[in-house]
Amino acid sequence: MLLWKTNNKQMEVPMSLAETGPQDLPQIDFDQYARLSLCHQPTPIEPMVRLSEHLGGPSLFIKRDDCTGLASGGNKTRKLEFLVGDALSQNADMLVTQGAIQSNHVRQTAAAACRAGMKCHALLERRVPDRAADYENTGNVLLDKVFGATMEFRPAGLDMNAEALAVTEKLRSEGHRPYFIPGGGSNAIGALGYASCAQEIANQSQASGTEFQWLVMATGSTGTQAGLVAGFHAIGFDLPVMGVSVRQPRERQVEAVLGLTKKTLEKLEAPAIAASKILVDDGYVGEGYGIPAPSTLEAISLAARYEGILLDPVYSAKGMAGLAGLIRQGFFKPSDNVLFLHTGGSVALFAYEDVILNSDV
Ligand SMILES: *Cc1c(COP(=O)(O)O)cnc(C)c1O
């Protein structure tokens, strides 16, 4: 049973998603954690027939977490089910979080706050240099305003979680009941959202009889990869996850993902994991976070022209560039089934109009 609740109302509804999966696959009871229903789930897994043929490698599939439903979708919604559930259980009346200017996380948090009957306050970091004049008004920022979030801006390079915590305490002293959500919703509570996605993928794989040999995805604040790796490990489902870094070198990203994977496994009361299970490719970052490389723009074009799918220039297109690059390097076997996790973000395309119009996309 999943709860739909706000500060004032609570309603129990039967879940359409089967609560018991196939007989021989262990099922984690995610409803033992406070949770607010925000997502369309399960999200579909679809074959990418034309892109597979074009790239000439393994069979490609896509897990449509751009279709989670809330505020045009994306991976943060799964994390927010548990984070907002926790906030409601603490009687909070406001969500406080932070992100880069064009943060998909802030947009989904602002919408989740509306669903829960809470306010949302966000700190936005001017992390990406040399952007067009309307970067702070369009795309995700426009939607943050539509959802009624209040915002304040910060220069690049500060410890943004520390900044947001300080603002949280100030708001508390003014009589609000704020709940702090770290950047990207990436702590052990948020990562439960992707442990539950791991369970969902395992169930879909088994129910459809399609075995995947690899999962490829974009990795940033780490909660998505950590949650997936922890979830697969906890149920003993053997699907290696390749994170394509969108912002930092491999060693640092591996360390960050491993740290959160361990905390998430503790929360799931699951056995520890070997560090060698955390896989990251840092070959597609380009000049840095939020700066599309030529391979990023090519990936936007590939997904659009072959599959009618919108990627975003900050995250999912770097992930797709990684997938295409790995295929071209001969990383996969031709007989492999490779699952790409679409983490959403296409709203940010509108904030990169200048880059896209001046490219071959
Ligand atoms: C946040 C985000 C990611 C990265 O997820 P993390 O959990 O932060 O690593 C990937 N894609 C999109 C579209 C995102 O918004």
Side-chain angles (χ1 to χ4, degrees), residues 48 51 62 298-311 320:
M48 295 196 283
L51 188 61
I62 186 163
E298 191 218 359
I300 289 175
S301 178
L302 283 176
R305 306 287 170 93
Y306 287 93
E307 295 295 337
I309 284 174
L310 292 174
L311 301 177
M320 177 63 79

Side-chain angles (χ1 to χ4, degrees), residues 264-281:
T264 310
L265 284 167
E266 278 167 28
K267 212 159 180 63
L268 294 169
E269 294 173 22
I273 196 168
S276 60
K277 298 275 182 190
I278 310 298
L279 305 171
V280 170
D281 188 332

Side-chain angles (χ1 to χ4, degrees), residues 291-329:
I291 307 174
S295 64
T296 321
L297 296 169
E298 191 218 359
I300 289 175
S301 178
L302 283 176
R305 306 287 170 93
Y306 287 93
E307 295 295 337
I309 284 174
L310 292 174
L311 301 177
D312 80 284
V314 181
Y315 294 97
S316 55
K318 287 189 177 173
M320 177 63 79
L323 175 61
L326 288 165
I327 291 172
R328 288 166 181 158
Q329 288 162 33

